[in-house]
Amino acid sequence: ADSAVSEQPGQLLLGMQPEGGQVQPDAARVPVFGLGCAGGATGLALASKLARATPGAVVLLVVVELCSLSFRMDELTKADIVATALFGDGAAACVVRWGEDGFAHVEATAEHTWPDTLDIMGWRVDPTGLGVIFDRAIPPFVENELAAAIDKILADLDLTRSDIDRFCCHPGGAKVVDAIETALELTPGTLDLERGVLRDYGNMSAPTVLFVLERLIARGLPSRSMMTAFGPGFTCAGLVLET
């Protein structure tokens, strides 16, 4: 596991445009690919680090997934059929600044990667297109392994699960949401916003957790929340927000 904590929390601003509503012609671009469903949380963590490293800069995070590209007429496997039924296309964006007033501070970011888990989930890129990898069941793995990983991430930040008022989780699927609640010992039904986003849009991969965050903001962010998302690797990305 790797974690980074800023000495002074940065400010996270969602849904705000840079001055003038335009991207400057000299803007630096940082393309990132291959993070899968963890991309929203990992991307937001990277944006916060870039903002922290460049005070005064405006960092625009844009997360786009075209999961429908995984539909393969040449490969009608069970995994591809499940992916087509579960996944949807989506996009989300947010703005991160250092030292500006916003709705939350990025208190800390972290990741945990389990060894020997490349076969759990991912994307296979071949000449025909994208192919999904679902060789091992994700919900049982999450239920058995998530708590220890989250506890390790939080311990590195001198926090425990009791310090988190609300988890903001990537809803990988209905069974995954159930597994998260079980693993983190949350009251069944706690992750209602996650289920709502999954119901309304499907699993859009990386942007999905930002849709959950948007609904959590509308409801009212608690004092401290933790964003989590899973990705190929098998990896759990974490982001702690303070209001």
Side-chain angles (χ1 to χ4, degrees), residues 18 22-31 50 54 57-62:
Q22 299 180 6
V23 176
Q24 299 300 317
D26 60 348
R29 296 177 297 170
V30 184
L50 292 173
T54 316
V58 177
V59 180
L60 172 65
L61 171 69
V62 180

Side-chain angles (χ1 to χ4, degrees), residues 13-206:
L13 313 179
L14 180 65
M16 299 183 63
Q17 293 182 332
E19 291 186 16
Q22 299 180 6
V23 176
Q24 299 300 317
D26 60 348
R29 296 177 297 170
V30 184
V32 180
F33 171 80
L35 298 176
C37 295
T42 306
L44 189 53
L46 175 59
S48 70
K49 292 177 182 178
L50 292 173
R52 185 167 63 243
T54 316
V58 177
V59 180
L60 172 65
L61 171 69
V62 180
V63 187
V64 179
E65 290 276 18
L66 300 175
C67 298
S68 58
L69 294 176
S70 66
F71 184 76
R72 300 278 297 270
M73 291 299 295
D74 66 317
E75 203 173 275
L76 296 179
T77 65
K78 178 180 178 181
D80 286 280
I81 294 172
V82 170
T84 300
L86 177 62
F87 288 102
D89 297 339
C94 57
V95 171
V96 184
R97 288 174 174 159
W98 178 263
E100 297 283 346
D101 290 332
F103 67 81
H105 308 284
V106 179
E107 182 182 3
T109 65
E111 291 184 42
H112 180 91
T113 300
W114 289 275
D116 302 320
T117 55
L118 289 175
D119 59 340
I120 290 185
M121 66 166 290
W123 298 102
R124 187 185 69 256
V125 182
D126 59 37
T128 304
L130 292 173
V132 294
I133 298 174
F134 289 136
D135 287 345
R136 290 167 61 184
I138 296 174
F141 185 91
V142 170
E143 188 170 326
N144 293 328
E145 304 291 340
L146 178 61
I150 293 295
D151 288 343
K152 175 62 168 60
I153 288 174
L154 291 173
D156 290 343
L157 307 174
D158 293 324
L159 298 172
T160 66
R161 271 185 270 164
S162 62
D163 295 313
I164 304 300
D165 301 306
R166 214 289 187 176
F167 285 91
C168 176
C169 303
H170 167 74
K175 292 182 179 180
V176 174
V177 177
D178 291 342
I180 294 172
E181 287 182 340
T182 299
L184 299 182
E185 299 178 326
L186 303 175
T187 302
T190 296
L191 302 181
D192 56 334
L193 299 179
E194 286 79 354
R195 290 184 173 89
V197 169
L198 186 64
R199 179 185 62 247
D200 294 341
Y201 303 105
N203 180 355
M204 298 168 285
S205 194

Side-chain angles (χ1 to χ4, degrees), residues 164-166 216 221-227 239-241:
I164 304 300
D165 301 306
R166 214 289 187 176
L216 186 56
L221 275 174
S223 297
R224 179 182 279 127
S225 54
M226 182 176 185
M227 178 186 294
L239 190 86
V240 179
L241 299 176

